[in-house]
């Protein structure tokens, strides 16, 4: 005789679904994939290496003419690499990603991505403290990008992306694994979406603050003190470049990003030689016929 157990109440179904979700999310956050754990060496054999970086540009999804103008500005810099530092989609939908992938075919230079909170989550859920579909959301980013962390070395520098949407333990785990592979004879550049040197953190009592770090700034800084440059893409004001002192050592910090539709739009160009690094903003020309100053639907 077989026994069939029927879950007749919604609460039991919810428990099964949550356990299944937790198992999948745990598997997603166990270890790192081969791309994340394989340092790539890129040899360009150039006197000057050019990077372009930007972030927080999901408003471009609704303004193709402005998007095309930004791509023209990027290509005008003749970049070797383009570092896209998060919040490039808004709803993290397949349609948004397909549109972006098509647009990015027009960008010259190899692209690297740091995931933003919009890119790795469903913001309309997380804003209310809902994480039931977190596995699906983050998997969509992996499907389109292939990694959440990455480590690169070229002729003049080391580069690393870390996932600031992750837990402190996960970030520390990656740094412990990959920092020993950085070439100590070259400067190291850390790219993130959220800023690593600002103090703002999430408030456990307010789910609407989830986009901020879930850990204190000072708990991460000792782990990244070896990096000479810290660059983040969630800066909702104009480009800035400054220094930040930690444990008596000055680190060069750069904020790139854009606030909202209607604001001036810019990208940041970084030039690297054997002996120097300098950066400057490049403002994107907004077409006269654009609806950029109108809110997206």
């Amino acid at each position: 005789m077989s026994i069939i157990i029927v879950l007749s109440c919604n609460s039991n179904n919810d428990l099964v679904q949550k356990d299944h979700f937790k198992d999948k999310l745990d598997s997603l956050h166990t270890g790192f994939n081969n791309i994340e754990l394989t340092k790539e060496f890129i040899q360009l054999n150039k006197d000057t290496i050019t990077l372009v970086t930007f972030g927080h540009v999901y408003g471009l999804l609704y303004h193709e003419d402005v998007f095309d103008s930004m791509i023209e500005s990027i290509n005008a810099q003749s970049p070797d690499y383009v570092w896209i530092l998060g919040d490039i989609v808004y709803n993290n939908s397949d349609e948004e990603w397909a549109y972006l992938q098509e647009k990015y075919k027009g960008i010259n230079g190899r692209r690297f991505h740091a995931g933003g909170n919009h890119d790795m989550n469903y913001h309309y859920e997380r804003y209310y403290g809902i994480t039931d579909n977190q596995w699906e959301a983050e998997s969509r980013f992996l499907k389109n990008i292939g990694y959440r962390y990455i480590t690169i070395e070229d002729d003049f520098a080391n580069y690393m992306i870390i996932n600031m949407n992750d837990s402190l333990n996960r970030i520390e785990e990656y740094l412990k694994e990959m920092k020993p592979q950085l070439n100590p004879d070259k400067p190291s550049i850390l790219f993130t979406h959220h800023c690593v040197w600002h103090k703002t953190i999430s408030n456990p009592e307010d789910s609407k603050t989830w986009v901020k770090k879930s850990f204190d700034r000072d708990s991460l800084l000792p782990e990244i003190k070896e990096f000479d440059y810290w660059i983040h893409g969630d800066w909702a004001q104009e480009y800035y470049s400054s220094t930040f002192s930690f444990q008596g050592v000055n680190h060069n910090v750069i904020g790139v990003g854009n606030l909202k539709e209607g604001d001036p739009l810019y990208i940041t160009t970084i030039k690297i030689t054997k002996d120097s690094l300098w950066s400057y903003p490049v403002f994107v020309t907004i077409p006269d016929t654009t609806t950029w100053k109108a809110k997206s639907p």
Side-chain angles (χ1 to χ4, degrees):
M1 180 180 68
S2 60
I3 300 174
I4 300 176
I5 299 175
V6 179
L7 299 176
S8 58
C9 69
N10 288 335
S11 60
N12 284 336
N13 280 326
D14 290 344
L15 285 174
V16 171
Q17 290 173 0
K18 287 180 179 179
D19 286 345
H20 183 54
F21 158 75
K22 183 179 183 302
D23 289 343
K24 291 198 298 183
L25 191 59
D26 285 348
S27 68
L28 193 65
H29 290 169
T30 300
F32 303 92
N33 66 32
N34 288 335
I35 297 175
E36 293 167 337
L37 290 178
T38 303
K39 187 189 80 168
E40 181 180 359
F41 182 79
I42 302 173
Q43 189 166 5
L44 296 173
N45 295 319
K46 300 176 71 173
D47 293 331
T48 302
I49 295 175
T50 302
L51 285 61
V52 168
T53 183
F54 59 89
H56 209 274
V57 291
Y58 51 64
L60 297 175
L61 294 169
Y62 310 101
H63 302 279
E64 187 170 12
D65 55 348
V66 183
F67 206 150
D68 290 341
S69 186
M70 188 184 78
I71 291 173
E72 289 179 9
S73 296
I74 292 170
N75 291 342
Q77 306 304 305
S78 300
D80 298 293
Y81 316 129
V82 177
W83 296 82
I84 303 170
L85 303 187
D87 280 0
I88 56 174
V89 294
Y90 188 71
N91 291 318
N92 195 1
S93 66
D94 285 329
E95 292 77 14
E96 288 178 340
W97 280 110
Y99 176 76
L100 280 175
Q101 297 288 20
E102 187 62 31
K103 278 296 177 189
Y104 284 162
K105 291 178 182 178
I107 294 180
N108 298 333
R110 184 170 173 183
R111 302 187 309 274
F112 299 99
H113 296 76
N117 43 284
H118 280 266
D119 311 327
M120 287 197 179
N121 297 274
Y122 294 140
H123 72 92
Y124 45 83
E125 292 185 343
R126 288 296 300 275
Y127 189 73
Y128 295 102
I130 301 170
T131 58
D132 291 359
N133 295 305
Q134 173 63 44
W135 179 87
E136 180 183 72
E138 191 166 331
S139 294
R140 184 166 286 164
F141 179 84
L142 274 173
K143 173 185 173 183
N144 283 276
I145 302 304
Y147 55 84
R148 296 149 296 183
Y149 298 78
I150 200 166
T151 303
I152 305 290
E153 179 186 348
D154 67 14
D155 310 59
F156 300 140
N158 304 289
Y159 311 88
M160 183 183 288
I161 282 173
I162 60 174
N163 175 21
M164 291 296 289
N165 301 275
D166 227 335
S167 67
L168 177 63
N169 287 342
R170 282 272 297 166
I171 295 172
E172 289 177 334
E173 184 181 349
Y174 185 78
L175 290 168
K176 180 179 180 181
E177 182 72 28
M178 299 304 293
K179 277 196 307 182
Q181 298 191 39
L182 301 177
N183 187 331
D185 297 323
K186 298 176 181 178
S188 293
I189 304 171
L190 183 70
F191 289 99
T192 63
H193 174 63
H194 293 117
C195 181
V196 297
W197 63 93
H198 288 174
K199 282 191 171 182
T200 54
I201 62 173
S202 301
N203 175 5
E205 305 300 321
D206 183 0
S207 62
K208 295 179 182 180
T209 67
W210 70 270
V211 296
K212 300 174 182 177
K213 296 189 290 291
S214 59
F215 46 83
D216 182 77
R217 174 194 71 181
D218 293 341
S219 60
L220 177 61
L221 295 188
E223 306 299 326
I224 60 172
K225 61 184 180 181
E226 296 90 348
F227 290 86
D228 303 279
Y229 296 86
W230 301 341
I231 303 173
H232 84 101
D234 197 34
W235 183 239
Q237 299 181 41
E238 291 189 4
Y239 154 95
Y240 80 91
S241 176
S242 186
T243 58
F244 176 83
S245 181
F246 178 70
Q247 294 184 345
V249 177
N250 284 333
H251 299 269
N252 300 283
V253 296
I254 299 173
V256 304
N258 296 277
L259 182 55
K260 59 184 182 298
E261 294 156 275
D263 287 346
L265 178 68
Y266 67 93
I267 57 178
T268 296
T269 297
I270 301 173
K271 299 282 188 178
I272 305 176
T273 68
K274 181 179 180 181
D275 302 311
S276 63
L277 180 151
W278 67 99
S279 63
Y280 52 90
V282 175
F283 286 84
V284 175
T285 300
I286 306 298
D288 292 336
T289 56
T290 189
T291 58
W292 179 247
K293 293 185 179 181
K295 282 192 172 182
S296 58

